[in-house]
Amino acid sequence: MIAGVVSAQDETVLVVGHAESTDSLDPARGYTQTTGIINKVTYETLVTFPSDSASEIVPLLATDWTISEDGLTYTFNLRAGVTFANGDPLTADDVVFSVNRLANVVGNPSFLAANIASVTADDEDTVTFVLNAVDPAFLSNLSNSAFGITNDAQVIDAGGSAAEDAATADAAETFLNGTSAGTGPYILEAWESDVQTVLVRNPTYWGTAPFFDRIIIVNIPEAATQAVALESGEIDIALDLTSDQMPGFEGNADIAVASVPGNIVHFLLMNNNPDIGGPMSNPLVQRAVRLALDYEGFATLWGGINPGTIMAVGQQYAFTPEQGIARDLDAARALLTEAGYPEGFDITLQYPTFTFQGVNMDTNAQKIQSDLAEVGINVTLEPGELSVSLEQYRTGQQGFGYWFWGPDVLDSIDVLSFLPGGKVGAERANWTDENSEAVIQELREAARVATDPAEREQLFTDIQTYLQENGPWAPFLQPNVQTAFRADLQGYVWHPQWLIDLAILSR
Amino acid sequence: MPIYLFIFRRILFTIPLLLGITVVAFILANAVPADPINANLPSNQLNNPELVEAFRREWGLDKPPVEQYLTYLGNLLQGNLGRSIRSRQPIAEDIGRFLPATIELSTVATILGVTFGVSFGVISAVWKNTPVDFLVRTLGLIGISVPLFVLALVGLTVFHAELGWVAGPGRLSVRLSPPPNVTGMYLIDSLLAGQWNVFQDALSRLILPSMVLALYITGMISRITRSSMLDVLRADYIRTARSKGLRERFVVLRHGLSNAMIPIVTAIGLSYGVLLAGAVLTESIFAWPGIGRYMFSASTGQDFPAIMGVSILIAFIYVVVNLVVDVLYYFLDPRVRAA
């Protein structure tokens, strides 16, 4: 290494300010925003989304594919002439290895592969997946960077394993935290956790060469510090700013701002188990709470929109903000009276003390308190440390809780986990097949397997209509995502899956 | 009492203290009402009893707490702090990576803070109730009362973003690579390697955070110095010294300050500890990759071995600093030597 100065004068460098949040850059193990942003440019998937939306599936490492009549078998033809950063050609064996490794290391994103019964290499450049059950979201799943294809030879050399016992046998994580073994436009040069990540351009990349020679992602945990560093030009783009910082950039010709609705939905949980939820388990009370919230107020407070339902606006078939619930205090009071609480009741709201993407949960909890006070529900706030509160939530011990979520998979089907018997519905809110209506269970079963677009649209519309009236959820805010960058930076676009594609930026 | 015996006795006293610290750290780390497997195992592994069992075994969580503690203590005595659950690296290595940044910052801040604090305190005492005194005391009050993060943010906005006098957050420009690692402290390492440009950049990034921290120390030390000096300057031996016709500067510094030093030295020792423990906030704002940041990540990730390792380390530094303070008493105060 040349002492002191590494970057040559004519090298193009992009400096990204980011509040790092990851413990792994191994595609089969890391499942956080930071991992997603980095692995988006170091690994590639068989299929992907367009650069600005999740509205359709487009080819990437696979040029085309066929789906069997029964919807269970997918066959992909691999792109010719693709090589890994170390020069090895991409083959079907690499795909098989990567997918099996993802499934078998049982890492955070491994659930994405749970429905894959088998994956086989038919020849050098053809791969066949067989599914356990029909899955309308399969191709969306494959677009996740967890399905990034790794070079099997390199990973095996580093102790990697895709065998069934990979959860204990695989030892390639340390290697993959230090360098990448993918086909993407960039190569991971170094990841110094909590400090910075350095990416360098992949000289053998098969696609359009990216503009920047080197990308440095500096860990700046504080949003205020990111803003200062952006203003002074220390960084080119700040990824974790909050809405209240945006006015500060007005009139600054050096800085451009982008603000679009993200895909995080803030919601209230009202436990269906009467022993835990108390009055909140009453369907009439649940509906009253949904009518009592000041949706416009939340949207104005943070900059954002009223989510139509628990499905984030922008997802396929999701309701628009206009279709969302409107505040109606009289109707809410009437429902409370009908439920037997004409004078309201006392309840405790549990939530983590946390600020996510600039939205402070304490502030929202106070607003929830004052909104509900108007219909007589007297809320006591019980903020908790994140990990403690999370444990209560995950084990379904919260009677009345405040949380947020973002889709795991960019397909409407993701919302099914909030329905009776679903991961979130049953485990967090005790909304089960026993205490729910047959109509929603039927909708859920139909939506799980439907592949015809018209049929899906009808099913998800019916599900959302049902959720506005019934169920233990009161979604109330979908905040905007703010990004600010140096005005000379070109090509920025927010993406619901990978948030930012660093490889399409230029100056 | 000879000096070696004095130091030996002091070290003996610290042994039960350090043991107590490990007990408290262990209890606190285990008192959190959350299971570390929830924070550290992927959710789909939680449903697999075999993998959960393997995790508990690997990290010793399947043993009773007393046994866990004794194992931990045994490893600790061999200098083994264990491995971080989060980074899967030995904690000693992690600490080695993050601690020098904190030591470098705290030391520079302490040197600045003590220099200014003692000077201001003496000036304040000598020119008691003059405009100079009021100015110094106001400055001291600001240093103590304005929260560090406010000073830090205002400092960054004004001196970095607006005026451009100092460099921005972080230890080093991203365009420079760190000097070859010897001490882990960039100022020293860059000089050792003769990398003048790295030294300049590291220094320009260190100035603001260390000044912010120094302001706090200055505030504390100047107030203590002032009151200690006022006490001493009223003493009989000062009057005697003056009546002997000694020069005023000699009276104040030699007879006054050296006798006023004892409470000041105590305060310096304490403030160094405060800096280390308070590093979480300042390091966060200045994007300073130090032990405070490491501690924060460890706590939010319920990385027990790392939390304990850092707690014990900080407590240990505190104890060592206090030991140094005790030894300084030995030299400053003849009564301690006689005891």
Side-chain angles (χ1 to χ4, degrees):
Chain A
M1 188 189 291
I2 306 165
V5 184
V6 152
S7 32
Q9 287 298 317
D10 50 356
E11 195 185 46
T12 50
V13 181
L14 173 72
V15 184
V16 180
H18 176 50
E20 181 181 301
S21 65
T22 191
D23 54 1
S24 187
L25 296 184
D26 179 345
R29 289 196 172 86
Y31 195 57
T32 67
Q33 289 193 342
T34 306
T35 307
I37 291 169
I38 294 168
N39 287 359
K40 166 64 188 160
V41 295
T42 50
Y43 295 91
E44 288 178 309
T45 46
L46 291 178
V47 294
T48 189
F49 296 113
S51 62
D52 60 348
S53 77
S55 58
E56 58 173 326
I57 301 290
V58 298
L60 191 58
L61 288 181
T63 48
D64 57 284
W65 54 92
T66 54
I67 306 173
S68 67
E69 275 290 304
D70 62 3
L72 288 174
T73 306
Y74 288 66
T75 305
F76 295 88
N77 289 314
L78 299 186
R79 190 177 295 278
V82 176
T83 57
F84 287 99
N86 73 346
D88 292 352
L90 168 79
T91 68
D93 287 336
D94 295 306
V95 177
V96 172
F97 175 82
S98 306
V99 172
N100 283 331
R101 183 165 177 271
L102 170 64
N104 292 331
V105 298
V106 203
N108 274 314
S110 297
F111 72 96
L112 293 168
N115 189 33
I116 298 172
S118 71
V119 51
T120 43
D122 303 329
D123 56 46
E124 278 273 288
D125 46 20
T126 317
V127 188
T128 298
F129 289 72
V130 179
L131 306 186
N132 290 314
V134 174
D135 180 6
F138 177 61
L139 291 173
S140 296
N141 273 352
L142 276 191
S143 308
N144 193 297
S145 67
F147 278 103
I149 306 306
T150 52
N151 182 339
D152 62 352
Q154 257 183 307
V155 176
I156 290 169
D157 273 352
S161 165
E164 279 187 8
D165 65 346
T168 47
D170 179 86
E173 186 181 10
T174 310
F175 170 75
L176 293 171
N177 280 341
T179 187
S180 53
T183 60
Y186 284 93
I187 306 168
L188 174 66
E189 186 182 77
W191 173 41
E192 208 184 327
S193 67
D194 282 324
V195 184
Q196 63 179 27
T197 310
V198 180
L199 306 171
V200 291
R201 183 154 57 184
N202 174 1
T204 67
Y205 184 53
W206 61 271
T208 315
F211 177 83
F212 289 101
D213 296 313
R214 178 180 290 265
I215 297 175
I216 302 171
I217 303 167
V218 201
N219 181 24
I220 305 180
E222 285 296 319
T225 312
Q226 284 191 17
V228 171
L230 180 68
E231 281 174 328
S232 70
E234 288 262 320
I235 58 176
D236 295 307
I237 182 164
L239 296 186
D240 309 275
L241 298 177
T242 58
S243 53
D244 58 323
Q245 292 177 298
M246 293 300 137
F249 298 123
E250 274 170 27
N252 187 337
D254 295 330
I255 291 172
V257 169
S259 178
V260 293
N263 58 1
I264 298 294
V265 173
H266 290 246
F267 64 89
L268 297 175
L269 170 156
M270 297 168 279
N271 204 306
N272 266 8
N273 181 341
D275 294 337
I276 300 171
M280 283 299 174
S281 64
N282 183 324
L284 295 170
V285 173
Q286 294 175 348
R287 198 180 303 168
V289 167
R290 281 190 283 271
L291 288 169
L293 295 170
D294 171 21
Y295 298 95
E296 281 180 27
F298 283 109
T300 315
L301 184 59
W302 301 108
I305 51 176
N306 174 11
T309 63
I310 195 86
M311 273 176 87
V313 174
Q315 290 229 68
Q316 214 173 10
Y317 316 125
F319 281 9
T320 61
E322 292 71 36
Q323 290 172 281
I325 298 170
R327 191 180 203 200
D328 187 340
L329 294 174
D330 291 334
R333 288 189 193 101
L335 281 165
L336 285 176
T337 307
E338 191 186 339
Y341 300 104
E343 305 298 320
F345 54 85
D346 294 343
I347 191 84
T348 300
L349 177 67
Q350 294 175 304
Y351 64 96
T353 304
F354 197 58
T355 298
F356 187 73
Q357 291 182 351
V359 176
N360 182 289
M361 295 182 73
D362 279 304
T363 309
N364 277 341
Q366 285 161 27
K367 180 156 173 55
I368 291 159
Q369 188 180 39
S370 70
D371 284 2
L372 296 185
E374 293 191 46
V375 295
I377 300 176
N378 180 20
V379 180
T380 306
L381 300 184
E382 189 186 306
E385 197 270 322
L386 178 64
S387 53
V388 177
S389 201
L390 195 60
E391 174 135 329
Q392 294 166 341
Y393 169 66
R394 281 184 174 157
T395 51
Q397 292 307 305
Q398 290 188 341
F400 185 37
Y402 162 26
W403 289 92
F404 61 85
W405 84 299
D408 287 318
V409 179
L410 287 182
D411 187 280
S412 319
I413 207 161
D414 215 29
V415 77
L416 300 190
S417 63
F418 279 81
L419 299 188
K423 173 97 183 152
V424 190
E427 291 178 22
R428 322 298 200 230
N430 289 298
W431 199 18
T432 61
D433 281 359
E434 286 69 45
N435 63 20
S436 60
E437 295 180 294
V439 52
I440 188 66
Q441 295 172 27
E442 283 157 17
L443 284 170
R444 178 193 70 199
E445 291 313 307
R448 188 164 281 160
V449 292
T451 47
D452 174 60
E455 187 191 357
R456 295 190 85 203
E457 176 159 18
Q458 187 58 51
L459 284 167
F460 284 104
T461 303
D462 291 349
I463 287 173
Q464 291 178 87
T465 308
Y466 184 90
L467 283 177
Q468 290 195 332
E469 290 287 311
N470 311 282
W473 314 112
F476 58 89
L477 171 68
Q478 185 175 339
N480 279 1
V481 182
Q482 349 278 338
T483 310
F485 42 89
R486 301 296 293 179
D488 60 353
L489 198 66
Q490 307 291 318
Y492 171 77
V493 53
W494 184 80
H495 195 277
Q497 168 96 352
W498 47 77
L499 305 180
I500 181 172
D501 183 352
L502 296 172
I504 60 175
L505 297 176
S506 64
R507 200 176 330 257
Chain B
M1 193 185 346
I3 178 76
Y4 65 87
L5 195 63
F6 177 82
I7 294 176
F8 180 72
R9 265 182 50 174
R10 279 285 175 278
I11 289 176
L12 270 189
F13 283 141
T14 62
I15 290 173
L17 196 61
L18 287 171
L19 267 180
I21 288 163
T22 61
V23 175
V24 172
F26 185 82
I27 291 174
L28 283 181
N30 279 277
V32 185
D35 194 329
I37 67 163
N38 285 328
N40 290 292
L41 269 191
S43 56
N44 41 356
Q45 289 197 8
L46 291 175
N47 300 331
N48 183 332
E50 270 175 42
L51 291 175
V52 169
E53 189 48 41
F55 180 87
R56 287 195 185 282
R57 220 174 14 236
E58 183 183 359
W59 299 101
L61 297 168
D62 54 342
K63 308 251 169 54
V66 173
E67 196 182 331
Q68 282 184 43
Y69 172 72
L70 291 177
T71 312
Y72 185 85
L73 195 63
N75 290 336
L76 188 66
L77 289 177
Q78 296 164 38
N80 178 2
L81 288 167
R83 267 185 313 138
S84 153
I85 299 180
R86 216 171 133 266
S87 74
R88 296 168 193 84
Q89 301 291 320
I91 287 162
E93 259 178 44
D94 278 357
I95 288 177
R97 211 153 67 80
F98 289 101
L99 186 63
T102 302
I103 298 272
E104 185 170 42
L105 177 58
S106 303
T107 306
V108 172
T110 302
I111 292 171
L112 289 175
V114 169
T115 311
F116 289 126
V118 172
S119 321
F120 288 175
V122 171
I123 290 168
S124 228
V126 171
W127 285 284
K128 181 174 62 148
N129 295 333
T130 62
V132 183
D133 181 27
F134 287 123
L135 184 74
V136 169
R137 284 161 72 186
T138 311
L139 203 68
L141 207 59
I142 292 174
I144 302 180
S145 52
V146 179
L148 280 180
F149 69 90
V150 173
L151 289 175
L153 275 177
V154 170
L156 266 179
T157 310
V158 174
F159 296 108
H160 169 61
E162 298 292 330
L163 298 171
W165 290 356
V166 295
R171 285 182 84 189
L172 204 60
S173 162
V174 293
R175 283 154 210 274
L176 294 173
S177 57
N181 189 3
V182 182
T183 62
M185 289 176 239
Y186 288 177
L187 289 186
I188 298 176
D189 288 356
S190 59
L191 284 182
L192 288 178
Q195 295 173 352
W196 185 239
N197 57 334
V198 175
F199 177 81
Q200 280 179 316
D201 188 73
L203 183 65
S204 81
R205 275 159 202 276
L206 188 64
I207 288 173
L208 190 60
S210 59
M211 287 296 280
V212 166
L213 291 174
L215 192 57
Y216 171 80
I217 302 174
T218 305
M220 194 167 84
I221 303 284
S222 68
R223 288 164 69 87
I224 290 170
T225 306
R226 181 178 182 275
S227 71
S228 182
M229 278 298 281
L230 286 178
D231 279 348
V232 170
L233 289 178
R234 274 194 294 266
D236 291 342
Y237 57 82
I238 295 291
R239 204 175 42 208
T240 311
R242 283 195 178 125
S243 63
K244 281 198 295 187
L246 294 176
R247 272 183 306 153
E248 183 64 14
R249 183 195 295 183
F250 191 78
V251 172
V252 170
L253 294 183
R254 182 70 189 83
H255 291 255
L257 184 59
S258 63
N259 280 302
M261 269 321 271
I262 288 178
I264 300 172
V265 166
T266 310
I268 294 170
L270 283 176
S271 73
Y272 196 76
V274 169
L275 283 195
L276 287 177
V280 174
L281 214 57
T282 25
E283 289 183 357
S284 196
I285 290 171
F286 286 107
W288 198 262
I291 205 73
R293 281 260 300 283
Y294 180 70
M295 180 73 163
F296 182 76
S297 306
S299 326
T300 50
Q302 282 188 50
D303 188 346
F304 283 61
I307 296 171
M308 289 196 50
V310 178
S311 310
I312 290 169
L313 175 85
I314 288 178
F316 180 75
I317 294 176
Y318 233 110
V319 169
V320 170
V321 168
N322 273 297
L323 186 70
V324 172
V325 167
D326 280 353
V327 173
L328 286 176
Y329 286 165
Y330 182 92
F331 290 106
L332 288 170
D333 191 343
R335 287 166 300 187
V336 175
R337 265 169 282 176

